[in-house]
Structures are given as structure tokens and as C-alpha cells.
Amino acid sequence: MKISDKEMTHLAELSGLTLTKTEMTNLQQDLERILEYVSQLNEVDTEGVEPTYQTFDLENVTRADVPIDYGVTKEQLLALAPEVKDGMIAVGGVL
Amino acid sequence: MKNNKYEMTIGIECHVQLATATKLFSGAKNDSREAVPNENASPIDWGLPGMLPVLNERAVELAARLGLALDAKINLASRFDRKHYFYPDLPSGFQRTQLYEPIIGEGLVELPSGGKVRVEHAHLEEDAGKLTHVGEKTLVDLNRAGTPLVEIVSMPDMHSAREAREYCQELQKLAIYSGASDADLYHGNMRFDVNISVAEPGAKKLGTRVEVKNINSFKAVERAVEYEFKRQVGLIEKGEKFGQETRGWDENKQKTVSQRSKEEAMDYRYMPEPDVPPVRLAEGFVDGVRAEMPVLHTVLRHEFLKIGLGEAVVETLLDNHGLALRMHEVVGETDAKTAKRVADWFSSVWLAAEVTSTEIPSVAQLLELAEMVAAGELSSTAAKEVLLKMSVGSPRAVAEKLQLLQVSDEGALEEMVERVLALPAAAKAVADVKAGEMKALGFLVGLVMKESKGQANPGKVQGIIKSKV
């Protein structure tokens, strides 16, 4: 199963990854092999089969509309961000 | 915006924020109007690894309510999918939405002008965070991340800017009256994506579709449609080909601007959301939601028109939820004539005085006030004054305090008339009336009214003067 260079660039873009040429080539080969392997599933006739949303047959897992204290502060969470400015997570400009 | 050579076709996607206390999948607070950035963002909203989203049952109820308001079928089975894209407003890298099995099926919105717009479907999804661009940096506030939204997708059933605006306004009223959303446009509770295409009338194929995204006011919806129609007709006339694209509305320049073309549209790589089990509603669930449904503006519109209120007054009342509900109670308690008087007070006095922040008078107060006017105890002018001050007491108490009660007591009036007729200032007019000069009668009535500081019943005064002179 072949993946074109163009498809690789597109996938990298969608995934927000910047890859070197070597990484690109390696990944391309890996992905091709993975797809090759998974494509065996195409032999199964899935006509009329529902997609799997649940493997434990769970349904209606809901909660009441009441605020929950998760025991973690805004400061603790913001400390996870590489950069913080004015109480907000600062990232490279996207405009 | 008449152009007989071309016809436009409009479809609208509308995002409505649900009025829940917490978010769609986390227990963080939903209302962040008073919050500092990132105050209402839980580890789930941050998309941290290992966090388990749990569906808010109230969001499901409110979505069903909105669905019923849209006269739509509520799908008993619905489920969530992941829609992937990388952008800083979405820390998990995907948005939970309902691509394949939405909770709300086909519906219908009837416009007051008579048009009908079919709803293709509506689905539940979570909102993304808010980005602010400062210099080289983009700042992320996750307070809005995870806010429950219902996206209402219309069929391409509209053909004018006015219809587009009307449809959006109807959606807002349905959202407010059903209690599903505060639908406050100023706070971004509703946002519109408008799809517009232009073709010759009767053409088999629709023209190229252009989407104007993220419009947040009714006026802007109307203007954007007008602008796009002109722009697309211009391109077609010049013979220029143009592709599908996404545009934005520039409020300052009053024009649409290109954002990205659909050719490079995102590939969202949808997949079933394994963390949120499917929703299966019990048969009785929808009946329960229907039973709790508050009265919708569409019902009130019909009711108000039926008692003979003018269309403009009806729409003014419907634009003010609290007043419309009170009016509904009044209609149920009294005759059409009295109800019309109250409607007039609301639309021309109450709203004009901009006292909407204070409590709306009770039905009992309104009916007592109307009764006093009908009985001649209050002039209609005085009633308007009392109306605005009833928060402090009953109409009678307020009228007494402001000394606005009309004097209708025959004895007191006669005494007053006699006093006035004896005044030197009245002598000439009295002579004129005696000579059959009826214009002078008005002058005398005026004198008595002045003497009574406006409290005398003018009709009665006139009768008494006539009999005396």
C-alpha cells in the first residue's frame, strides 16, 4: 500500500507536525506497512454492520448539571503551559 | 436588492449555547461572563490525558426542548464523533460533535412573513476556547471550551436577505422562549454561518456556494447576504469563475472577506468518540420534555393577533420575553378591550420609559389600573404615570399618593364648578355660553380642571357646567 509524498505532507500538516526529510521517509515506510497490515480487514464484508461506538455496551452515561470541584487550581493547570500571559496560555501566533 | 436576472439561495447554520450550569462534558461552570480567563476550565476542558468526559444530562434535555421548539423529530438514539483539527482553541485536538446520529432530526421554522424554512437536522457539540491575538502571540482562554452548543442546520430554503434575518430572529425567539438558551447575541450565545449561492431563476443547479462564517448580529446577517449577492452577481456578469470558499464579515468595512478556499478545506478524520457512550432516550423522555415546555412565542403571536393587536405591537411584545409572558397572563384573565389597553401600556409607555430592569407589574395590578381608567377614576394620562410607579404599591395607593385620582363625586364637582363660575375670569365665557357660543364651554371646563389640578373628571364637569349655565 503506497502513500505518496504529497499525502505525507498533507498528513503532517493535519497533525501539526514539522518533520525532517529522514523522519518523513521513515514514517512513510512505517505507515505503508501499517496500512498493508490493517488492510487485511478489508476482506471482511461489513455491509450493514454498525460502527463500533462502544465495546462494553454502555449507554446513557450522564451526570447531573451541577458544578464539580476537580481539586485542581487554575494556577496549577496554567503551570503546565509552556508560556503564560495575562492568565492565558500563550502560543505562537496563528493569525 | 431586486435583480430579476438572478436568484439567491441561502442556507444557515446556527450555533446556540445551551443555558446549562456546567459544560457539556465537564463539571466546570458554563457561564463565564464575570470570570477571569481560564477560571472555568477543568482538566477535561484542557484535554489532559486520562480525563473522562461525562455527558451533562441537562444539555440533552435542553437540546430536546430546542428540537421540539423547532417542530422537529427527537432521535431516541444519538451518539458522538470526534472531529479532528489542530488549533490552539482546541487542546484535545478534536471536537466532540454528532456527525452521523444527531439528537434532532428534521424540523420546520415558520417565518412571521409566511415563509417556511426546513431544518435539516440539529446536533449537540462542544464549543472551542477563545483566542486573542496579541503581537506575535496568540493567547488562549479555555473558559468557553466545552460549552454545550446545538448547531441548527437549515435547508437552503431562503431567497432574500430579509428572510435570512427573519429566520435568525425566529431561531433566537425559539431558543429564548423554550428556555434552551439565553440567546444573548451580545455575549455570543448565538452565531450564524450563512451559505449563499446565486443562479438564474429556475436553474437546475445551484450556483457556487460561499459560506460567510461567524456572524453575530441580525443586521450583519442581512448585510452580509446583500453584499454577497451583489458581489457574486458582479463576478458572474464579468464572466469570472469562482470556487467554493469561506469568508468572514468585516463589520467596520461592511463587506465579506476571503478566509480560506474550500479546496484546501480541512480533513477532519471523523471517528466514533469511544469515551462518551451513545445516548438512548426512553420513549417517555420526549413526552416529559414536551410537558415541561414553556409557552412559545409562536403561540403568543397567534394569541395576540387574535385579540386584535397590531402586528407591530405584537412583535414589540414578543421581543421582550417578560412582557410577552405577562401579556399572555393578562389575556387569560380579561376581555380583549382591557388586554389591548395593557398591550398599549407595555409597548408605548413601559418600553419607552426603559424601565425594563424593574419588576413588571402583576396581572392584578394591571387589571386594577385598567379598571380605574374604565370607571373614570383615572385619566388615561394619569394611568400611564401610575403604571411606571406600581413597584411601590397598588395602583390605587400610587394614584392617591401622586394625587392623580379623578374627582367624580357629583357634590364635590358641583361645588368646584360653582366656585369657578363665580370667578371674574369666567364671567365673559359664561355670558358667551348663555348666548349659545359653545366654544366657550371648553374654556370653562379648562378653568375647572386647572382649579382641580387636573383631578376633575372632565366629562362630568362639562355636564355640570351645562346644567348650571
Side-chain angles (χ1 to χ4, degrees), chain A residues 53 59-60 63 65 70 87 89, chain B residues 21-23 26-27 81 140 280:
Chain A
Y53 276 76
E59 271 178 0
N60 299 331
R63 64 180 167 81
D65 186 24
Y70 288 91
I89 306 146
Chain B
T22 65
K23 296 190 179 177
S26 93
D81 303 280
V140 189
R280 187 173 301 275

Side-chain angles (χ1 to χ4, degrees), chain B residues 226-243:
Chain B
E226 281 167 5
Y227 181 88
E228 267 306 300
F229 182 66
K230 278 194 203 123
R231 190 185 71 87
Q232 291 180 32
V233 166
L235 289 173
I236 294 168
E237 300 254 276
K238 272 190 275 176
E240 278 183 38
K241 286 249 182 290
F242 58 98

Side-chain angles (χ1 to χ4, degrees), chain B residues 365 389-398:
Chain B
Q365 283 180 315
K389 306 210 164 81
M390 292 200 294
S391 58
V392 297
S394 77
R396 186 167 301 279
V398 173

Side-chain angles (χ1 to χ4, degrees), chain B residues 61-256:
Chain B
E61 276 168 30
L62 291 183
R65 247 199 216 189
L66 191 52
L68 292 178
L70 293 167
D71 204 10
K73 180 174 161 260
I74 308 303
N75 293 323
L76 294 183
S78 65
R79 51 197 182 193
F80 290 89
D81 303 280
R82 291 182 175 184
K83 174 183 181 177
H84 297 86
Y85 66 90
F86 275 99
Y87 208 59
D89 62 1
L90 194 71
S92 58
F94 58 83
Q95 177 194 29
R96 295 184 186 92
T97 179
Q98 298 184 311
L99 178 68
Y100 298 106
E101 305 254 2
I103 184 163
I104 302 167
E106 283 175 36
L108 187 73
V109 175
E110 292 190 43
L111 307 181
S113 65
K116 285 181 183 172
V117 180
R118 289 167 298 162
V119 169
E120 207 262 333
H121 82 273
H123 60 263
L124 265 170
E125 64 182 27
E126 57 182 349
D127 207 346
K130 197 177 129 203
L131 302 182
T132 317
H133 307 285
V134 181
E136 298 288 288
K137 291 282 173 187
T138 291
L139 304 181
V140 189
D141 172 8
L142 294 175
N143 281 346
R144 204 181 62 194
T147 284
L149 301 175
V150 168
E151 179 175 346
I152 304 165
V153 182
S154 88
M155 298 286 271
D157 286 350
M158 288 157 276
H159 299 285
S160 72
R162 207 191 130 204
E163 269 186 328
R165 179 193 179 125
E166 233 186 313
Y167 170 71
C168 295
Q169 287 174 322
E170 282 300 290
L171 288 188
Q172 185 196 33
K173 290 200 177 78
L174 290 171
I176 291 174
Y177 280 75
S178 67
S181 171
D182 297 331
D184 180 348
L185 268 59
Y186 178 77
H187 284 108
N189 291 167
M190 282 184 98
R191 304 188 306 262
F192 308 98
D193 300 339
V194 184
N195 290 282
I196 306 145
S197 68
V198 172
E200 286 173 22
K204 284 207 179 68
K205 245 181 77 190
L206 291 179
T208 307
R209 194 178 75 160
V210 171
E211 180 174 28
V212 186
K213 271 188 114 67
N214 252 324
I215 305 178
N216 58 13
S217 83
F218 299 131
K219 197 191 267 177
V221 166
E222 197 168 6
R223 296 264 168 83
V225 169
E226 281 167 5
Y227 181 88
E228 267 306 300
F229 182 66
K230 278 194 203 123
R231 190 185 71 87
Q232 291 180 32
V233 166
L235 289 173
I236 294 168
E237 300 254 276
K238 272 190 275 176
E240 278 183 38
K241 286 249 182 290
F242 58 98
Q244 282 197 9
E245 66 170 340
T246 300
R247 299 175 75 86
W249 175 248
D250 186 327
E251 187 62 41
N252 294 326
K253 294 186 183 144
Q254 292 285 303
K255 60 195 271 192
T256 64

Side-chain angles (χ1 to χ4, degrees), chain B residues 349-364:
Chain B
V349 184
W350 187 265
L351 286 172
E354 289 175 7
V355 289
T356 42
S357 60
T358 64
E359 212 172 302
I360 300 169
S362 71
V363 176

Side-chain angles (χ1 to χ4, degrees), chain A residues 10-17 50-55 57-70 72-74 76-81 83-95, chain B residues 20-29 36-39 41-44 46 48 54-58 79-81 86-88 100 131 133 136-142 267 269 272-274 277-280:
Chain A
H10 180 58
L11 281 175
E13 216 169 277
L14 287 178
S15 313
L17 295 175
E50 287 271 296
T52 303
Y53 276 76
Q54 255 298 307
T55 45
D57 284 336
L58 289 173
E59 271 178 0
N60 299 331
V61 177
T62 59
R63 64 180 167 81
D65 186 24
V66 179
I68 296 169
D69 180 358
Y70 288 91
V72 55
T73 65
K74 176 180 67 135
Q76 284 172 309
L77 288 167
L78 282 171
L80 301 172
E83 193 185 335
V84 174
K85 195 171 184 297
D86 303 335
M88 289 181 272
I89 306 146
V91 297
V94 292
L95 241 203
Chain B
T20 52
T22 65
K23 296 190 179 177
L24 186 53
F25 295 111
S26 93
K29 284 189 193 136
V36 298
N38 293 305
E39 181 180 323
S42 75
I44 295 171
W46 272 73
L48 294 186
V54 185
L55 183 61
N56 181 343
E57 62 185 17
R58 180 71 178 158
R79 51 197 182 193
F80 290 89
D81 303 280
F86 275 99
Y87 208 59
Y100 298 106
L131 302 182
H133 307 285
E136 298 288 288
K137 291 282 173 187
T138 291
L139 304 181
V140 189
D141 172 8
L142 294 175
D267 174 353
R269 294 151 293 147
E273 163 58 292
V279 178
R280 187 173 301 275

